[in-house]
Short mmCIF file of all heavy atoms in Angstrom, two decimals:
data_model
loop_
_atom_site.label_atom_id
_atom_site.label_comp_id
_atom_site.label_asym_id
_atom_site.label_seq_id
_atom_site.Cartn_x
_atom_site.Cartn_y
_atom_site.Cartn_z
N TYR A 99 -10.83 -3.71 -0.70
CA TYR A 99 -12.37 -3.60 -0.94
C TYR A 99 -13.03 -4.79 -0.49
O TYR A 99 -14.07 -4.68 0.29
CB TYR A 99 -12.46 -3.28 -2.44
CG TYR A 99 -14.01 -3.37 -2.90
CD1 TYR A 99 -14.88 -2.52 -2.45
CD2 TYR A 99 -14.34 -4.35 -3.82
CE1 TYR A 99 -16.14 -2.49 -2.92
CE2 TYR A 99 -15.74 -4.38 -4.16
CZ TYR A 99 -16.56 -3.51 -3.90
OH TYR A 99 -17.91 -3.68 -4.18
N GLN A 100 -12.67 -5.98 -0.94
CA GLN A 100 -13.39 -7.18 -0.49
C GLN A 100 -13.36 -7.41 0.92
O GLN A 100 -14.30 -7.90 1.58
CB GLN A 100 -12.89 -8.27 -1.41
CG GLN A 100 -13.25 -8.32 -2.84
CD GLN A 100 -12.76 -9.47 -3.70
OE1 GLN A 100 -11.83 -10.12 -3.26
NE2 GLN A 100 -13.32 -9.66 -4.79
N GLU A 101 -12.21 -7.32 1.55
CA GLU A 101 -11.96 -7.56 2.88
C GLU A 101 -12.75 -6.60 3.82
O GLU A 101 -13.32 -6.93 4.82
CB GLU A 101 -10.40 -7.48 3.21
CG GLU A 101 -9.57 -8.47 2.71
CD GLU A 101 -10.03 -9.93 3.18
OE1 GLU A 101 -10.31 -9.98 4.45
OE2 GLU A 101 -10.14 -10.75 2.43
N ILE A 102 -12.86 -5.24 3.43
CA ILE A 102 -13.64 -4.25 4.10
C ILE A 102 -15.14 -4.69 4.22
O ILE A 102 -15.75 -4.70 5.18
CB ILE A 102 -13.64 -2.87 3.56
CG1 ILE A 102 -12.18 -2.27 3.82
CG2 ILE A 102 -14.65 -1.97 4.21
CD1 ILE A 102 -11.96 -0.89 3.06
N GLN A 103 -15.77 -5.09 3.02
CA GLN A 103 -17.02 -5.68 2.98
C GLN A 103 -17.23 -6.75 3.94
O GLN A 103 -18.24 -6.90 4.70
CB GLN A 103 -17.38 -6.10 1.50
CG GLN A 103 -17.26 -5.01 0.53
CD GLN A 103 -18.47 -4.15 0.52
OE1 GLN A 103 -19.63 -4.61 0.71
NE2 GLN A 103 -18.39 -2.86 0.44
N LYS A 104 -16.37 -7.65 3.85
CA LYS A 104 -16.44 -9.00 4.71
C LYS A 104 -16.39 -8.59 6.17
O LYS A 104 -17.14 -9.14 7.02
CB LYS A 104 -15.12 -9.80 4.39
CG LYS A 104 -15.19 -11.16 5.19
CD LYS A 104 -14.10 -12.09 4.80
CE LYS A 104 -14.10 -13.25 5.75
NZ LYS A 104 -12.80 -14.07 5.32
N GLU A 105 -15.48 -7.71 6.58
CA GLU A 105 -15.32 -7.33 8.01
C GLU A 105 -16.47 -6.62 8.39
O GLU A 105 -17.10 -6.69 9.47
CB GLU A 105 -14.19 -6.42 8.31
CG GLU A 105 -12.84 -7.10 8.07
CD GLU A 105 -12.56 -8.18 9.24
OE1 GLU A 105 -12.88 -7.82 10.34
OE2 GLU A 105 -12.22 -9.32 9.03
N TRP A 106 -17.14 -5.73 7.50
CA TRP A 106 -18.32 -4.85 7.93
C TRP A 106 -19.48 -5.86 8.23
O TRP A 106 -20.19 -5.60 9.18
CB TRP A 106 -18.69 -4.07 6.78
CG TRP A 106 -19.74 -3.02 7.05
CD1 TRP A 106 -21.13 -3.30 6.92
CD2 TRP A 106 -19.68 -1.76 7.36
NE1 TRP A 106 -21.82 -2.18 7.09
CE2 TRP A 106 -20.97 -1.21 7.50
CE3 TRP A 106 -18.60 -0.82 7.59
CZ2 TRP A 106 -21.26 0.11 7.84
CZ3 TRP A 106 -18.89 0.50 7.97
CH2 TRP A 106 -20.24 1.03 8.04
N GLN A 107 -19.68 -6.84 7.31
CA GLN A 107 -20.80 -7.69 7.56
C GLN A 107 -20.56 -8.56 8.70
O GLN A 107 -21.54 -8.81 9.51
CB GLN A 107 -20.89 -8.65 6.33
CG GLN A 107 -21.35 -7.96 4.95
CD GLN A 107 -22.78 -7.33 5.09
OE1 GLN A 107 -23.50 -7.77 5.94
NE2 GLN A 107 -22.81 -6.14 4.60
N GLU A 108 -19.35 -9.12 9.06
CA GLU A 108 -19.12 -9.73 10.24
C GLU A 108 -19.37 -9.00 11.46
O GLU A 108 -20.05 -9.51 12.46
CB GLU A 108 -17.70 -10.30 10.32
CG GLU A 108 -17.38 -11.12 11.48
CD GLU A 108 -15.95 -11.57 11.56
OE1 GLU A 108 -15.16 -11.42 10.61
OE2 GLU A 108 -15.55 -12.07 12.66
N ILE A 109 -18.96 -7.73 11.58
CA ILE A 109 -19.26 -6.91 12.67
C ILE A 109 -20.64 -6.63 12.99
O ILE A 109 -21.20 -6.68 14.10
CB ILE A 109 -18.24 -5.61 12.58
CG1 ILE A 109 -16.88 -5.89 12.70
CG2 ILE A 109 -18.76 -4.64 13.69
CD1 ILE A 109 -15.98 -4.78 12.38
N THR A 110 -21.24 -6.15 11.79
CA THR A 110 -22.77 -5.72 12.14
C THR A 110 -23.62 -7.01 12.09
O THR A 110 -24.64 -6.85 13.00
CB THR A 110 -23.20 -4.93 10.80
OG1 THR A 110 -23.03 -5.67 9.61
CG2 THR A 110 -22.33 -3.61 10.77
N THR A 111 -23.32 -8.07 11.50
CA THR A 111 -24.31 -9.18 11.51
C THR A 111 -24.06 -10.30 12.60
O THR A 111 -24.84 -10.61 13.32
CB THR A 111 -24.32 -9.90 10.05
OG1 THR A 111 -24.67 -8.88 9.15
CG2 THR A 111 -25.38 -11.10 10.07
N GLU A 112 -22.82 -10.80 12.64
CA GLU A 112 -22.33 -11.72 13.50
C GLU A 112 -22.15 -11.28 14.97
O GLU A 112 -22.46 -11.81 15.88
CB GLU A 112 -21.13 -12.49 12.96
CG GLU A 112 -21.36 -13.28 11.59
CD GLU A 112 -20.17 -14.02 11.18
OE1 GLU A 112 -19.32 -14.35 11.95
OE2 GLU A 112 -20.08 -14.20 9.97
N LEU A 113 -21.38 -10.23 14.98
CA LEU A 113 -21.05 -9.61 16.24
C LEU A 113 -22.21 -8.68 16.73
O LEU A 113 -22.06 -8.16 17.93
CB LEU A 113 -19.68 -8.87 16.28
CG LEU A 113 -18.52 -9.56 15.78
CD1 LEU A 113 -17.16 -8.98 15.81
CD2 LEU A 113 -18.33 -10.98 16.54
N LYS A 114 -23.09 -8.27 15.97
CA LYS A 114 -24.27 -7.53 16.20
C LYS A 114 -23.92 -6.29 16.88
O LYS A 114 -24.23 -5.75 17.88
CB LYS A 114 -25.23 -8.29 17.23
CG LYS A 114 -25.84 -9.60 16.64
CD LYS A 114 -26.88 -10.21 17.57
CE LYS A 114 -27.29 -11.62 17.09
NZ LYS A 114 -27.73 -11.51 15.63
N THR A 115 -22.83 -5.58 16.12
CA THR A 115 -22.32 -4.37 16.61
C THR A 115 -22.54 -3.36 15.56
O THR A 115 -22.47 -3.47 14.45
CB THR A 115 -20.73 -4.43 16.77
OG1 THR A 115 -20.47 -5.32 17.88
CG2 THR A 115 -20.18 -3.02 17.15
N ASP A 116 -23.14 -2.09 16.00
CA ASP A 116 -23.30 -1.02 15.02
C ASP A 116 -21.92 -0.30 14.75
O ASP A 116 -20.93 -0.38 15.52
CB ASP A 116 -24.14 0.02 15.68
CG ASP A 116 -25.71 -0.35 15.66
OD1 ASP A 116 -26.05 -0.72 14.58
OD2 ASP A 116 -26.45 -0.28 16.69
N ILE A 117 -21.70 0.25 13.56
CA ILE A 117 -20.62 0.95 13.12
C ILE A 117 -20.92 2.39 12.77
O ILE A 117 -22.02 2.79 12.08
CB ILE A 117 -19.94 0.35 11.90
CG1 ILE A 117 -19.66 -1.20 12.27
CG2 ILE A 117 -18.71 1.04 11.48
CD1 ILE A 117 -19.01 -1.94 11.13
N VAL A 118 -20.20 3.23 13.25
CA VAL A 118 -20.28 4.75 12.91
C VAL A 118 -18.92 5.33 12.24
O VAL A 118 -17.84 5.15 12.84
CB VAL A 118 -20.49 5.65 14.22
CG1 VAL A 118 -20.61 7.08 13.87
CG2 VAL A 118 -21.85 5.04 14.94
N VAL A 119 -19.08 5.67 11.13
CA VAL A 119 -17.96 6.43 10.41
C VAL A 119 -18.10 7.83 10.43
O VAL A 119 -18.99 8.45 9.80
CB VAL A 119 -17.89 5.96 8.95
CG1 VAL A 119 -16.67 6.38 8.23
CG2 VAL A 119 -17.87 4.35 8.79
N LEU A 120 -17.35 8.62 11.13
CA LEU A 120 -17.41 9.95 11.53
C LEU A 120 -17.39 10.84 10.34
O LEU A 120 -18.15 11.91 10.21
CB LEU A 120 -16.38 10.38 12.53
CG LEU A 120 -16.37 9.73 13.94
CD1 LEU A 120 -15.36 10.18 14.81
CD2 LEU A 120 -17.86 9.91 14.52
N ASP A 121 -16.51 10.54 9.35
CA ASP A 121 -16.42 11.38 8.20
C ASP A 121 -17.53 11.11 7.17
O ASP A 121 -17.56 11.88 6.08
CB ASP A 121 -15.04 11.08 7.40
CG ASP A 121 -13.88 11.74 8.24
OD1 ASP A 121 -14.21 12.46 9.21
OD2 ASP A 121 -12.80 11.57 7.80
#
Side-chain angles (χ1 to χ4, degrees):
Y99 171 65
Q100 293 181 334
E101 291 298 320
I102 291 175
Q103 295 285 316
K104 181 180 174 183
E105 289 293 316
W106 185 280
Q107 291 300 323
E108 181 182 352
I109 292 170
T110 57
T111 305
E112 296 180 24
L113 304 184
K114 301 186 184 307
T115 297
D116 280 313
I117 302 179
V118 176
V119 181
L120 298 179
D121 285 355

